[in-house]
């Protein structure tokens, strides 16, 4: 039987085409996907599409879109071998990361892709990205199981774990990277899969579990020289905030000024979940290395290890949506749940 793939179009540059009359970029009708990308017809696949309404620039992505996406995938899970999500590049890493925490016991590929140039322009990277994403979403191993049963981003020449990826370039065709995790696959003449790295579900036959309750009461405190106590306190101790991501220096370090430690302690006393993620794109948080990191640990901050900010955010949204118990959230946050950290 032919494999079948569902392409889900949420918006973004990839689905745009020049309107011949007005000369402006407009989303094209994805029901005509085979007309636009006839190469897809060469695969022995059934390719269906689903278009979100309204289509959005991904700068407008909200948790509601993630919930709708997760539910759509759950609803059609048994009908398709894999899913390709077309998404604007700007927030693709946030969406892929959060979806990875929302989808449990995933045994089928959910491959995000997009493009830097619209699919209707001559030098577009959209066609290549889409064709590779579809091929990867349909790929099976010798036992007939999905080759990549993960939420991933296929972009340029690489397939990256969704919760490890970050947008690195607003111009290059290789726009994404996952600095702390090698690619799950590299697309050259052949698509070469990194089979030892790709995660497998505990069982191939479990129904998809969807965690569609998200608690977004998270603030991000990015440290920088010159930060004032007022600014830091507003971000860390606001009554609406349940968790704070501290974006720290290097291996998880912060200025040693006593007022900063006092603010962190105050946030901790308020019961907030405080997590430490480094501003460095590569390497991990280790709060035992320097006194400035140690002070954070002693004040109640837990390590985000080598998580990206996008992954830390999605992980907190999903964990906090599951439970009101902040001690449990803190504990779970330090676990490797979906391959998002190296421990
Ligand atoms: N602003 C667009 C978006 O993220 C850019 C893109 O699609 O690449 O939707």
């Amino acid at each position: 039987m032919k494999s079948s793939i569902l392409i889900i179009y949420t918006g973004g540059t990839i689905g745009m085409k020049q309107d011949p009359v007005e000369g402006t970029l407009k989303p094209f009708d994805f029901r005509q996907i085979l007309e636009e990308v006839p190469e897809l017809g060469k695969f022995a696949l059934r390719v269906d599409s689903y278009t979100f309404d309204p289509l959005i620039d991904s700068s407008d992505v909200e948790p509601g879109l993630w919930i709708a996406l997760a539910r759509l995938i759950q609803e059609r899970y048994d009908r398709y071998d894999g899913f390709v999500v077309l998404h604007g590049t700007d927030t693709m890493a946030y969406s892929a990361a959060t979806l990875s925490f929302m989808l449990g016991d995933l045994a089928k590929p959910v491959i995000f892709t997009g493009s830097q140039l619209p699919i209707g322009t001559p030098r577009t990277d959209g066609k290549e990205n889409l064709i590779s994403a579809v091929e990867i979403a349909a790929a099976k191993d010798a036992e007939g199981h999905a080759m990549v049963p993960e939420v991933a981003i296929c972009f340029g020449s690489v397939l990256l774990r969704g919760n490890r990826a970050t947008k690195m370039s607003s111009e290059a065709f290789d726009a994404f990277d996952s600095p702390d995790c090698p690619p799950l696959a590299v697309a050259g003449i052949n698509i070469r899969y990194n089979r030892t790295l790709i995660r497998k579900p505990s069982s191939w036959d479990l129904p998809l579990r969807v965690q569609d309750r998200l608690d977004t009461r998270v603030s991000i405190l990015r440290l920088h020289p010159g930060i004032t106590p007022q600014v830091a306190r507003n971000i860390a101790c606001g009554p609406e905030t349940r968790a704070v991501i501290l974006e720290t220096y290097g291996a998880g370090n912060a200025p040693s000024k006593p007022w900063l430690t006092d603010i962190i302690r105050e946030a901790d006393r308020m019961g907030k979940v405080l997590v430490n993620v480094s501003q460095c794109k590569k390497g991990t948080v280790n709060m035992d290395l320097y006194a400035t990191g140690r002070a954070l640990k002693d004040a109640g901050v837990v390590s985000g290890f080598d998580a990206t900010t996008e992954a830390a955010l999605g992980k907190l949204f999903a964990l906090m949506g599951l439970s009101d118990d902040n001690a449990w959230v803190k504990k779970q946050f330090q676990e490797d749940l979906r391959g998002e950290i190296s421990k």
Side-chain angles (χ1 to χ4, degrees):
M1 206 178 59
K2 266 191 187 177
S3 289
S4 52
I5 299 299
L6 181 65
I7 298 178
I8 305 169
Y9 177 36
T10 66
T13 301
I14 189 166
M16 303 281 176
K17 174 177 172 185
Q18 197 120 26
D19 182 302
V21 183
E22 292 175 26
T24 53
L25 286 174
K26 291 209 170 134
F28 76 84
D29 184 351
F30 251 81
R31 282 169 301 186
Q32 289 143 22
I33 183 80
L34 283 179
E35 263 169 50
E36 291 297 330
V37 192
E39 295 86 344
L40 288 178
K42 294 190 182 144
F43 292 125
L45 294 174
R46 194 184 94 217
V47 180
D48 293 342
S49 68
Y50 178 95
T51 301
F52 268 69
D53 182 19
L55 292 166
I56 54 164
D57 184 294
S58 78
S59 309
D60 283 325
V61 160
E62 290 286 341
L65 179 110
W66 301 331
I67 294 169
L69 254 179
R71 288 184 182 157
L72 178 71
I73 291 169
Q74 184 175 44
E75 214 180 276
R76 313 219 170 174
Y77 195 66
D78 294 335
R79 277 192 259 161
Y80 293 96
D81 295 281
F83 300 84
V84 171
V85 181
L86 302 184
H87 193 291
T89 56
D90 289 346
T91 59
M92 191 187 292
Y94 289 90
S95 294
T98 308
L99 255 288
S100 78
F101 297 108
M102 294 172 77
L103 304 180
D105 295 324
L106 185 64
K108 295 184 179 182
V110 175
I111 311 295
F112 279 72
T113 195
S115 68
Q116 297 282 50
L117 283 174
I119 218 159
T121 58
R123 290 181 55 248
T124 185
D125 53 332
K127 279 192 182 185
E128 209 175 291
N129 287 350
L130 175 58
I131 292 165
S132 299
V134 168
E135 184 170 343
I136 289 166
K140 301 269 170 71
D141 64 15
E143 282 87 54
H145 295 132
M147 193 69 104
V148 188
E150 290 208 34
V151 178
I153 291 182
C154 174
F155 215 94
S157 54
V158 286
L159 179 75
L160 307 171
R161 179 165 294 150
N163 56 35
R164 291 290 202 149
T166 198
K167 185 174 178 183
M168 304 291 281
S169 171
S170 58
E171 292 183 1
F173 284 159
D174 271 316
F176 289 85
D177 194 6
S178 56
D180 277 322
C181 181
L184 300 182
V186 176
I189 293 176
N190 296 305
I191 297 178
R192 293 202 181 283
Y193 293 93
N194 189 341
R195 283 160 164 259
T196 47
L197 189 63
I198 295 170
R199 290 165 66 84
K200 300 276 182 298
S202 57
S203 155
W204 291 97
D205 304 317
L206 293 173
L208 180 71
R209 269 185 307 114
V210 169
Q211 204 299 77
D212 60 3
R213 287 185 312 275
L214 301 174
D215 183 345
T216 60
R217 290 175 295 163
V218 181
S219 64
I220 301 178
L221 175 54
R222 184 175 173 91
L223 299 174
H224 57 83
I227 193 164
T228 63
Q230 292 78 7
V231 167
R233 178 170 283 107
N234 281 344
I235 300 173
C237 301
E240 294 304 323
T241 295
R242 188 174 158 197
V244 184
I245 298 174
L246 286 155
E247 279 195 348
T248 57
Y249 305 133
N253 305 315
S256 55
K257 299 186 181 76
W259 62 256
L260 184 65
T261 321
D262 286 348
I263 289 171
I264 304 295
R265 282 212 194 94
E266 189 181 326
D268 183 55
R269 270 197 307 274
M270 291 170 84
K272 298 183 191 300
V273 178
L274 305 166
V275 307
N276 188 342
V277 166
S278 174
Q279 292 175 20
C280 291
K281 296 278 179 225
K282 236 176 139 76
T284 190
V285 163
N286 179 351
M287 290 189 281
D288 291 319
L289 219 51
Y290 295 94
T292 48
R294 192 61 201 233
L296 291 181
K297 188 175 176 182
D298 293 343
V301 178
V302 300
S303 180
F305 302 95
D306 55 352
T308 60
T309 298
E310 293 92 322
L313 203 64
K315 194 171 179 179
L316 286 170
F317 286 173
L319 289 174
M320 297 195 319
L322 263 184
S323 167
D324 291 331
D325 179 354
N326 282 359
W328 179 85
V329 170
K330 267 188 169 184
K331 202 163 162 281
Q332 287 297 305
F333 185 84
Q334 294 170 81
E335 299 296 325
D336 175 14
L337 303 178
R338 300 281 197 273
E340 72 283 4
I341 52 175
S342 324
K343 263 185 91 179

